[in-house]
Amino acid sequence: MCPFCSGREKQTPPEVMAVRTGDTQPDGPGWKVRVVPNKYPAFGPADGVLEESGHGHFHHTMNAIGVHEVLVSSPNHQHDLGDLPLSQVRYVVDTMVERYKANKTLSCVEYLLLIHNHGRDAGASLEHPHSQLFGFPLVPSAVADEIEGMARYRSEWGKCAFCHMIEIEQADAIRMVFENDGFATFAPFASSVPFETWIVPKHHSARFEEMTEINRAEFAEALKDLTSRISRGLNDPPFNFYIHTGPTKAAPALDYHWHLELVPKLTIAAGFELGSHISINVRAPEDAAEFLRSSLSGPDTGKSASPGCAQ
Amino acid sequence: MCPFCSGREKQTPPEVMAVRTGDTQPDGPGWKVRVVPNKYPAFGPADGVLEESGHGHFHHTMNAIGVHEVLVSSPNHQHDLGDLPLSQVRYVVDTMVERYKANKTLSCVEYLLLIHNHGRDAGASLEHPHSQLFGFPLVPSAVADEIEGMARYRSEWGKCAFCHMIEIEQADAIRMVFENDGFATFAPFASSVPFETWIVPKHHSARFEEMTEINRAEFAEALKDLTSRISRGLNDPPFNFYIHTGPTKAAPALDYHWHLELVPKLTIAAGFELGSHISINVRAPEDAAEFLRSSLSGPDTGKSASPGCAQ
């Protein structure tokens, strides 16, 4: 009784957008990608007024106004991005960009975070493949820290840290997984978890939603490629990915470099990781990249050799 | 064939310390708490020389010299700290302090992190209850950030943030779980995960290992109390705890306030948490504390009502 399958459109809140064929009607079958408000939103409403309070100066709170949308990847209940046709992944990417743009101007939204949970152990409560867009009234530290670090890097070394990273990864080659004209996919140096892999635009760009038509086609190709390699190579593991992009209200000239980070859930963050914020990664990114480079070379049997990496 | 059970002492590396009865011999039965080097150490050797290198200025590496010890909580394979007699928990606490002191002076060790993983889903690869002590050549950001934040707090407000936190928790009372003369146990305001609970010394003290005899007895009582409440109240969930204390080489006058943080593993950190470093906690700490306050009031049946908090 999956509420995201075609024919069950009434089980979700009314759609806010869909890619549809012919003259099909909203909240009925005939869609390719469908976007609905999350039935149990983490943030909302979008027209709420920010209320901040504190216990003296110690306990600071704000209400969780914002948006929380679900982007259903396709009517297909089984196939996630790696198994869908490239044309369908392109619809997903176009939808992501459109929803970014639609929510970006909301006064309550300081940041839009697009994420994808695949598999129950990665936190996907519904199996039917979908992404989620969270809009909320602050810039998360995960992104603020990157922006600050990149500013420090530029002041010290005179260039964008991510642009430089791509140069180094291309020269080193050992952590590179896939490239097309617009994007580089690689296992980052000193990655946090086994098979962590990033997709980074080759041309300096602060904002995901400013991709050109050509960029979107290239990004869809890179996204399908990576999720295919992960799913086929590692026997359909649980994984998460998320997109780090410029905050919605940042100045147009913001010096940032958007990218996607994918983290398979093959190991457990335990006391050491939680207590230190240091990761013990049992699979070197150089090994992971070598494995992923060859993971599409065999036939797609739906099964594969164990990577031997779960700790 | 548990290598931590009494009678299997030869299956571990030779013990570095044990609390023993009578005239029993090292690496034989008769111990109450036993400390051995980890057979598969994350850090070592302790007499290694730190070697740092980099790829230009971009990829910085150092070798993982240090120590990694296992503290077996008792000969009992089934009972973790919450179910052991208080006298046994006191032996564990004394052993933790002694191993801290023994490893603190190693030249390669900048930080000693004491952690405890309970249950497979919390990363415990061996079921027999044990803690682990990691010593390594850097101060982890989890602690460095706290030290920095506390310095900022003192310069702005003229007092220790943790001392102030205890005052507020005592006044608010709603997040308090347990108190004795030396320690306060409470669910911290805006906690990260359901039933996250901290044990904080009431008297300002930068270093775990500087506890007096009386403090150790009080800490053992608080630690047994909290782990009992978690295990009985939540039906023996997986959990991690870790101790944040002053770095080994910090100046004697370091302004810090050591404490223990316990985090049950009832939910999954998914794309939102990983991508933002913001936590969505489905159980308010005020509710969690109320539940934990009453969790020892019934008989210990080994089972309990579901807290209804797993997301």
Side-chain angles (χ1 to χ4, degrees):
Chain A
M1 301 310 284
C2 169
F4 294 165
C5 275
S6 185
R8 304 230 177 82
E9 289 79 7
K10 301 297 184 224
Q11 295 184 21
T12 67
E15 69 193 39
V16 294
M17 178 194 149
V19 178
R20 292 194 159 274
T21 52
D23 57 355
T24 59
Q25 295 301 307
D27 297 319
W31 49 274
K32 291 175 179 297
V33 180
R34 187 165 181 258
V35 182
V36 297
N38 194 304
K39 200 167 181 174
Y40 309 100
F43 298 97
D47 59 359
V49 175
L50 190 64
E51 289 164 13
E52 300 186 68
S53 65
H55 180 127
H57 55 278
F58 211 90
H59 293 161
H60 187 78
T61 65
M62 56 171 74
N63 51 339
I65 55 173
V67 293
H68 187 179
E69 295 182 346
V70 176
L71 286 64
V72 185
S73 306
S74 86
N76 189 312
H77 185 89
Q78 298 297 338
H79 289 170
D80 206 341
L81 300 171
D83 294 312
L84 293 173
L86 180 57
S87 57
Q88 179 69 30
V89 179
R90 174 62 194 277
Y91 291 135
V92 172
V93 169
D94 285 345
T95 304
M96 288 174 166
V97 171
E98 284 204 42
R99 293 316 300 162
Y100 246 92
K101 288 182 174 172
N103 287 298
K104 178 176 178 169
T105 52
L106 291 170
S107 67
C108 68
V109 170
E110 295 287 332
Y111 197 78
L112 283 166
L113 180 64
L114 204 141
I115 69 106
H116 189 92
N117 300 332
H118 175 89
R120 183 161 290 273
D121 286 345
S125 51
L126 287 169
E127 187 180 60
H128 194 122
H130 63 283
S131 300
Q132 296 178 68
L133 182 62
F134 297 82
F136 43 95
L138 56 84
V139 179
S141 63
V143 175
D145 289 352
E146 283 186 359
I147 292 173
E148 187 189 319
M150 287 171 72
R152 217 164 46 229
Y153 194 88
R154 187 179 288 276
S155 75
E156 197 165 351
W157 302 101
K159 57 171 99 179
C160 164
F162 272 81
C163 289
H164 194 193
M165 199 187 309
I166 290 172
E167 282 173 35
I168 291 171
E169 294 306 337
Q170 287 177 319
D172 277 6
I174 50 174
R175 285 174 297 275
M176 195 64 77
V177 173
F178 174 80
E179 284 187 79
N180 60 23
D181 286 348
F183 292 84
T185 301
F186 55 90
F189 180 82
S191 52
S192 293
V193 298
F195 298 96
E196 175 176 358
T197 320
W198 294 359
I199 300 176
V200 183
K202 290 181 174 178
H203 302 289
H204 187 69
S205 168
R207 293 176 176 87
F208 166 74
E209 73 274 22
E210 290 178 355
M211 276 194 286
T212 63
E213 284 284 312
I214 291 170
N215 292 154
R216 293 187 197 186
E218 293 162 340
F219 181 60
E221 184 191 35
L223 183 55
K224 174 176 166 60
D225 175 86
L226 174 57
T227 47
S228 283
R229 289 179 193 274
I230 293 287
S231 295
R232 293 199 203 173
L234 301 173
N235 199 13
D236 192 27
F239 66 81
N240 307 101
F241 72 69
Y242 46 86
I243 290 173
H244 279 175
T245 184
T248 56
K249 307 277 192 292
L254 173 72
D255 187 21
Y256 188 60
H257 195 127
W258 80 269
H259 58 281
L260 177 149
E261 303 184 2
L262 184 147
V263 280
K265 193 82 132 207
L266 299 167
T267 53
I268 292 169
F272 178 79
E273 288 81 3
L274 298 171
S276 67
H277 299 178
I278 297 171
S279 301
I280 294 177
N281 184 347
V282 295
R283 185 86 179 208
E286 294 77 11
D287 286 349
E290 184 179 12
F291 182 89
L292 291 175
R293 279 197 297 273
S294 63
S295 68
L296 291 184
S297 55
D300 178 14
T301 61
K303 297 279 172 189
S304 74
S306 162
C309 61
Q311 75 181 1
Chain B
M1 301 310 285
C2 169
F4 293 166
C5 275
S6 186
R8 304 231 179 81
E9 289 80 6
K10 301 298 186 225
Q11 294 183 24
T12 68
E15 69 192 40
V16 294
M17 178 194 149
V19 178
R20 291 193 160 275
T21 53
D23 58 354
T24 59
Q25 295 302 306
D27 298 319
W31 48 275
K32 290 175 180 294
V33 181
R34 187 165 180 259
V35 182
V36 297
N38 194 304
K39 200 167 181 175
Y40 308 100
F43 297 99
D47 59 358
V49 175
L50 189 64
E51 289 164 13
E52 300 185 68
S53 64
H55 180 128
H57 55 276
F58 210 91
H59 294 159
H60 186 78
T61 64
M62 57 172 73
N63 51 338
I65 56 174
V67 293
H68 187 178
E69 294 182 347
V70 177
L71 286 64
V72 184
S73 306
S74 85
N76 189 312
H77 185 89
Q78 299 295 340
H79 289 172
D80 207 340
L81 300 170
D83 294 312
L84 293 173
L86 181 57
S87 59
Q88 180 67 30
V89 178
R90 173 65 194 275
Y91 291 135
V92 172
V93 168
D94 285 345
T95 305
M96 287 174 166
V97 171
E98 283 205 42
R99 294 314 302 161
Y100 246 91
K101 289 181 174 173
N103 287 299
K104 176 175 178 170
T105 53
L106 290 170
S107 66
C108 68
V109 170
E110 295 286 332
Y111 196 78
L112 283 167
L113 179 65
L114 205 141
I115 70 108
H116 190 92
N117 300 331
H118 175 90
R120 184 161 290 272
D121 286 345
S125 51
L126 287 169
E127 187 181 58
H128 193 121
H130 62 283
S131 301
Q132 297 179 65
L133 182 62
F134 297 83
F136 43 95
L138 56 84
V139 178
S141 63
V143 175
D145 288 352
E146 283 186 358
I147 292 173
E148 189 190 317
M150 288 171 71
R152 218 164 44 229
Y153 193 87
R154 187 179 287 276
S155 76
E156 197 166 350
W157 302 101
K159 57 173 97 177
C160 165
F162 272 80
C163 290
H164 194 193
M165 199 188 309
I166 289 172
E167 282 172 35
I168 291 171
E169 294 306 337
Q170 286 176 320
D172 277 5
I174 50 174
R175 285 173 296 275
M176 195 65 77
V177 174
F178 174 81
E179 284 188 79
N180 59 24
D181 285 348
F183 292 84
T185 300
F186 56 91
F189 179 81
S191 53
S192 293
V193 298
F195 299 95
E196 175 177 357
T197 321
W198 294 359
I199 299 175
V200 183
K202 290 181 174 178
H203 302 291
H204 187 69
S205 168
R207 293 178 175 86
F208 166 74
E209 72 274 21
E210 291 178 356
M211 275 193 287
T212 63
E213 284 285 312
I214 291 169
N215 294 153
R216 293 187 198 187
E218 293 162 340
F219 181 60
E221 184 191 36
L223 182 56
K224 174 175 165 61
D225 175 85
L226 174 57
T227 47
S228 281
R229 289 178 194 275
I230 293 287
S231 295
R232 293 198 203 172
L234 301 173
N235 198 13
D236 192 26
F239 67 81
N240 307 102
F241 72 70
Y242 46 87
I243 289 173
H244 279 174
T245 184
T248 57
K249 307 277 192 292
L254 173 72
D255 186 22
Y256 189 60
H257 196 127
W258 80 268
H259 58 281
L260 178 149
E261 302 184 1
L262 185 147
V263 280
K265 193 83 134 207
L266 299 166
T267 52
I268 293 169
F272 178 79
E273 286 83 2
L274 298 171
S276 68
H277 299 177
I278 297 171
S279 300
I280 295 176
N281 185 348
V282 295
R283 186 87 179 206
E286 293 77 12
D287 286 349
E290 184 179 13
F291 182 90
L292 290 175
R293 278 196 299 272
S294 62
S295 68
L296 290 184
S297 55
D300 177 15
T301 61
K303 297 278 171 188
S304 73
S306 163
C309 63
Q311 76 181 1

